[in-house]
Amino acid sequence: MISFDGARAVAAMTANRAIGAAIRRTGRGGGTAFPGMVATRIAPDLLDQLAARLPQGAIVVAGTNGKTTTTRLLSDALTHAGMGVVHNRTGSNLVRGITGAFADQMPIAGSGPDIGVIEADENAFPEVVRRARPKVILLLNLFRDQLDRYGELETVASIWRPVIQTLDPETTLCVNADDPRLAWLAEESPARVVRFGLTTEGGGLPEMPHAADAAYCPVCGARFDYDAIYLSHLGAWRCPSCERERPELDLALSRVVPDGFERQTLTLRGWPHVEGVDLNLAVPGLYNAYNALAVAAAAHALGLPVEALGAATADFQPAFGRLERVDLAGRELTLTLAKNPTGFNEVLRMLNGAQPGSGFDGTVVIGINDLDADGRDVSWLWDVDFEVLAERQLPLVAAGIRGHDLALRMAYAGLDPCRLDARVAGEPFERVVEHLIQTTPPGGRVFVLLTYTAMLQLRAALAERGVVEPFWEQ
Amino acid sequence: MDLRIGWLYGHEMNIYGDRGNVLALLHRARGRGLEAAVEVLGVGDAFEPERYDVLFWGGGQDREQISVSADLMGAKGRDLKAAIGGGMPMLAICGGYQLLGDGYRPYEGDMLPGIHALDITSEAGPTRFIGNVVVDSPEFGALVGFENHSGLTFLGPEVEPLGRVRVGHGNNGRDGFEGARYRNTIGCYMHGALLPKNPQVTDWLIGTALERKGGAAALPPLPDDVESTAHDAVVKRALQLGR
């Protein structure tokens, strides 16, 4: 017998599918947010109903940076462990987008996927948790995001706090304890807590980057001391005043070794055994090492075999626009998206290489747009440590609507004017693509770092030339 | 000759890229062969005004602004006020600008007191002003920046506005003015950062600082194609997007 709510759910799922299919036929994208919105109009609690059907429950992943990569890697690990996974893989991470993805991937009736992986927007997090009632919550980090859109970090922490404080004790909360704000939130939770972080020797930062936040104790207001700073404000922190410090870690990476510019080897301690196991990860960058560690914490909480995790990290295919490789008429382009100052800092650090000789060699293109989805304010360019890039004096092409702001930032960072090419700054990305073909010899390598809409525009220009798929799922 | 820059509350109040102002002062001072250095002054640090040739103070989050306001309630605030009254070249943005005046009155709770160095007062406003700004200054010409504030600032008779708003909202969205000028101090809401794209202001701060040390206020010119191209691009963008 189908209940009234059940009937509404069927109608909502049917509508979701019909609209999604229609959108995909027009070639305008993956199409989950709009159909999801219609579906949630018809059945407002559709996500609650669908999540309740999952035998292994749901996992909700939140944080300012790394959500898409983390959920994809987690979803791959679950698949390797033999589970059927429903996941808002396109990165549409508000309630309507998540609902749309679930309604699309789950059968209207009968048995479906075993487990749900949900990437949740910071502001949508409380509602997503309330509706999906996850068995595992994974909190990655809280970095300064686009402030003109999201408000201040304290606001995000304050909307998360009541959720964390009222979790069911059966829930497992996995937190990055290197982030003092998250470690503090977890202290107040009745849930079972799994804490992860880094314990690597060396490879840390000499000082806190300028873009970093949360260098102050959220409890007593004193400035933290760090035994090691790994990334932005993440590290082994200690409050000199109230003597709070990074809690003991359940899972840690004790070693992160780059394997050329393309891969890295991570030593994971604490699971499956204390001495450690090596994981090979098919993407570079310390931020990706953190993402893999977060996935390990969730995999541990879910009781997956570590082999499933290892298989997922070794074969990992990053999402579109996250270190994606593209062949442009014989030139090798690597495309990467950065959405906030910490994202930029980490990509620049990766370009430099963790060890001498492991850095990128070629032309760097940086494209900065100032549309709504990028953040209208580009002041943050002055918070990013472009000096680390300027030091190597790689040739740089400034692009995007605010390309001239970037050119000025690079000039003040110390880039030699003869290395700075602002000829296509402010021009459409079709021009940027032409310019790259004209100025880069065949076989040349180009690293392209872009804000969100700059990525959409560049991909559209590349799609015109048939070198990438015509639409881009985030 | 050297130039010592005092960066007030550079750790506590450093949002929206205001650090770019310090980078601009360094870049254009070093371009003139000056030995330029920055010292960051934090909560609890002693302030010796005679150590500095120019001061910068940026915007911050609410929480940090409260501890900074408290830090200035004694001799430190009085010394800073005296330095400004004595003609110290200074740039203050957003939260720093507000605290140079009588203070900031939030919707609820007590007034966050300032140091009364500038005849301005600020209060919480009903909306947040966010967007590119173009301000026409009689002294500096067209200035570009990015405003992001819900505080409203009103000028008293002892200060002049920095300029008239061409695009954006400015001090309070009502009187058409942005920023305040008093002696050698400039306060305003313009992030962006302000100085890199408005090098005439950077040079005025450096020149004024050198003049006070017995040097010449007129600086040898520096190439500024990259600065002026970025400036003009923002004017165009701001006009295109409008208010």
Side-chain angles (χ1 to χ4, degrees):
Chain A
M1 194 177 81
I2 294 177
S3 67
F4 177 68
D5 279 351
R8 283 178 80 107
V10 169
M13 290 174 81
T14 310
N16 180 76
R17 259 162 232 216
I19 301 167
I23 292 176
R24 277 187 291 274
R25 272 197 300 279
T26 66
R28 291 210 185 138
T32 51
F34 177 69
M37 194 171 78
V38 175
T40 50
R41 281 276 165 77
I42 300 171
D45 65 345
L46 184 58
L47 180 59
D48 315 41
Q49 293 192 43
L50 293 176
R53 272 209 233 152
L54 297 165
Q56 305 287 327
I59 305 153
V60 170
V61 180
T64 47
N65 289 34
K67 292 186 289 291
T68 301
T69 296
T70 302
T71 52
R72 288 175 86 99
L73 187 55
L74 177 57
S75 172
D76 289 356
L78 292 165
T79 308
H80 276 288
M83 290 197 209
V85 183
V86 51
H87 171 202
N88 57 330
R89 200 171 175 90
T90 64
S92 193
N93 60 17
L94 300 176
V95 170
R96 56 175 186 263
I98 299 162
T99 309
F102 273 49
D104 202 43
Q105 294 166 37
M106 289 178 70
I108 289 176
S111 67
D114 304 297
I115 193 162
V117 173
I118 300 177
E119 166 187 338
D121 170 84
E122 295 83 280
N123 289 330
F125 176 73
E127 188 184 345
V128 172
V129 170
R130 183 164 56 78
R131 292 192 180 281
R133 309 183 62 81
K135 285 201 174 149
V136 176
I137 291 175
L138 179 53
L139 300 181
L140 303 175
N141 47 57
L142 274 180
F143 297 126
R144 187 186 297 182
D145 206 33
Q146 300 155 10
L147 286 175
D148 62 330
R149 235 174 14 136
Y150 275 4
E152 297 169 350
L153 279 182
E154 298 295 341
T155 316
V156 175
S158 68
I159 63 167
W160 284 12
R161 184 165 300 117
V163 180
I164 302 301
Q165 281 172 340
T166 54
L167 287 176
D168 184 309
E170 297 293 302
T171 315
T172 303
L173 175 65
C174 302
V175 288
N176 185 344
D178 289 357
D179 191 326
R181 228 184 227 108
L182 298 185
W184 182 53
L185 279 178
E187 261 180 46
E188 302 181 325
S189 182
R192 186 168 80 92
V193 178
V194 174
R195 295 175 176 87
F196 60 89
L198 260 54
T199 57
T200 57
E201 294 285 324
L205 296 166
E207 58 180 347
M208 177 105 43
H210 303 283
D213 267 310
Y216 296 90
C217 176
V219 178
C220 73
R223 192 153 188 235
F224 283 130
D225 290 334
Y226 280 85
D227 295 327
I229 302 177
Y230 299 114
L231 191 163
S232 187
H233 63 268
L234 307 185
W237 49 272
R238 181 155 53 70
C239 175
S241 162
C242 70
E243 294 183 349
R244 219 162 260 279
E245 59 181 0
R246 180 176 73 167
E248 197 156 318
L249 303 174
D250 301 300
L251 255 75
L253 290 184
S254 61
R255 216 170 56 104
V256 175
V257 183
D259 179 0
F261 181 64
E262 267 118 50
R263 308 180 73 89
Q264 52 186 327
T265 303
L266 317 175
T267 305
L268 175 68
R269 280 175 187 264
W271 178 66
H273 41 72
V274 186
E275 309 86 74
V277 57
D278 279 356
L279 297 172
N280 193 268
L281 178 63
V283 278
L286 189 63
Y287 63 102
N288 281 322
Y290 260 111
N291 293 336
L293 173 61
V295 172
H300 164 64
L302 291 163
L304 296 195
V306 74
E307 291 73 23
L309 175 67
T313 58
D315 297 343
F316 185 60
Q317 294 282 326
F320 286 125
R322 268 102 176 164
L323 299 168
E324 178 189 7
R325 294 220 166 74
V326 170
D327 180 327
L328 173 66
R331 286 87 177 157
E332 188 195 294
L333 269 56
T334 304
L335 311 183
T336 248
L337 174 71
K339 292 197 274 197
N340 53 27
T342 296
F344 266 85
N345 274 337
E346 288 310 307
V347 173
L348 297 178
R349 191 169 159 197
M350 183 188 72
L351 280 174
N352 257 6
Q355 291 169 345
S358 70
F360 174 79
D361 197 14
T363 301
V364 178
V365 180
I366 301 183
I368 308 294
N369 275 1
D370 67 352
L371 303 178
D372 280 338
D374 306 294
R376 289 275 174 191
D377 186 8
V378 298
S379 300
W380 57 265
L381 287 175
W382 295 93
D383 285 327
V384 173
D385 294 312
F386 284 105
E387 284 75 9
V388 303
L389 181 64
E391 230 168 71
R392 290 186 59 210
Q393 299 290 344
L394 296 173
L396 184 124
V397 177
I401 298 167
R402 300 300 288 256
H404 289 296
D405 282 80
L406 189 266
L408 178 57
R409 177 70 188 95
M410 289 311 301
Y412 278 29
L415 184 66
D416 192 322
C418 68
R419 295 273 167 176
L420 179 58
D421 176 356
R423 285 174 288 178
V424 288
E427 300 281 327
F429 275 91
E430 289 76 18
R431 279 282 303 124
V432 177
V433 171
E434 273 169 33
H435 187 71
L436 286 178
I437 294 173
Q438 284 159 9
T439 56
T440 314
R445 297 173 76 191
V446 182
F447 191 93
V448 189
L449 175 55
L450 301 165
T451 62
Y452 183 75
T453 70
M455 177 64 83
L456 295 181
Q457 293 171 0
L458 176 73
R459 291 192 62 89
L462 291 171
E464 283 286 304
R465 289 171 180 267
V467 298
V468 296
E469 292 296 316
F471 72 84
W472 186 48
E473 315 171 68
Q474 194 206 347
Chain B
M1 206 173 249
D2 63 355
L3 185 81
R4 192 173 295 169
I5 303 161
W7 184 0
L8 294 172
Y9 306 108
H11 295 300
E12 294 87 354
M13 296 175 69
N14 69 344
I15 58 169
Y16 302 128
D18 287 341
R19 163 179 179 256
N21 295 304
V22 175
L23 297 179
L25 286 168
L26 286 172
H27 185 83
R28 293 187 73 84
R30 288 174 181 159
R32 270 67 177 240
L34 299 168
E35 290 276 325
V38 182
E39 284 182 15
V40 177
L41 282 146
V43 167
D45 294 345
F47 173 56
E48 299 165 53
E50 58 284 0
R51 279 184 69 79
Y52 306 104
D53 302 311
V54 56
L55 296 176
F56 172 71
W57 187 359
Q61 304 200 40
D62 295 349
R63 182 192 187 94
E64 280 82 29
Q65 244 156 270
I66 293 166
S67 68
V68 164
S69 168
D71 188 54
L72 285 167
M73 283 307 101
K76 199 166 173 180
R78 282 198 300 278
D79 290 348
L80 179 57
K81 180 182 176 179
I84 289 169
M88 170 78 85
M90 177 168 188
L91 173 67
I93 308 287
C94 203
Y97 170 42
Q98 293 169 344
L99 290 180
L100 284 185
D102 294 353
Y104 179 80
R105 186 175 298 285
Y107 268 125
E108 285 171 13
D110 297 334
M111 176 105 168
L112 190 63
I115 63 164
H116 303 274
L118 263 57
D119 183 15
I120 61 169
T121 187
S122 306
E123 62 184 43
T127 50
R128 200 164 181 92
F129 300 143
I130 301 175
N132 294 290
V133 284
V134 181
V135 171
D136 292 305
S137 155
E139 217 175 339
F140 300 109
L143 301 174
V144 296
F146 194 95
E147 62 181 350
N148 190 344
H149 58 108
S150 56
L152 308 177
T153 294
F154 298 92
L155 308 189
E158 302 295 315
V159 296
E160 295 289 319
L162 173 62
R164 191 172 277 284
V165 176
R166 199 192 317 172
V167 182
H169 299 85
N171 283 333
N172 50 52
R174 297 177 204 165
D175 61 21
F177 292 119
E178 161 64 1
R181 283 282 287 112
Y182 175 71
R183 306 293 311 258
N184 291 325
T185 292
I186 297 173
C188 65
Y189 279 110
M190 297 166 80
H191 301 288
L194 178 72
L195 293 184
K197 289 191 285 282
N198 300 283
Q200 68 278 30
V201 183
T202 320
D203 287 357
W204 176 83
L205 286 165
I206 298 170
T208 306
L210 297 185
E211 198 179 14
R212 279 166 48 90
K213 299 173 75 164
L219 301 172
L222 277 185
D224 55 10
D225 306 351
V226 187
E227 287 91 337
S228 61
T229 309
H231 172 279
D232 296 352
V234 178
V235 173
K236 204 173 136 197
R237 182 76 177 141
L239 290 171
Q240 181 190 17
L241 294 170
R243 286 183 77 133

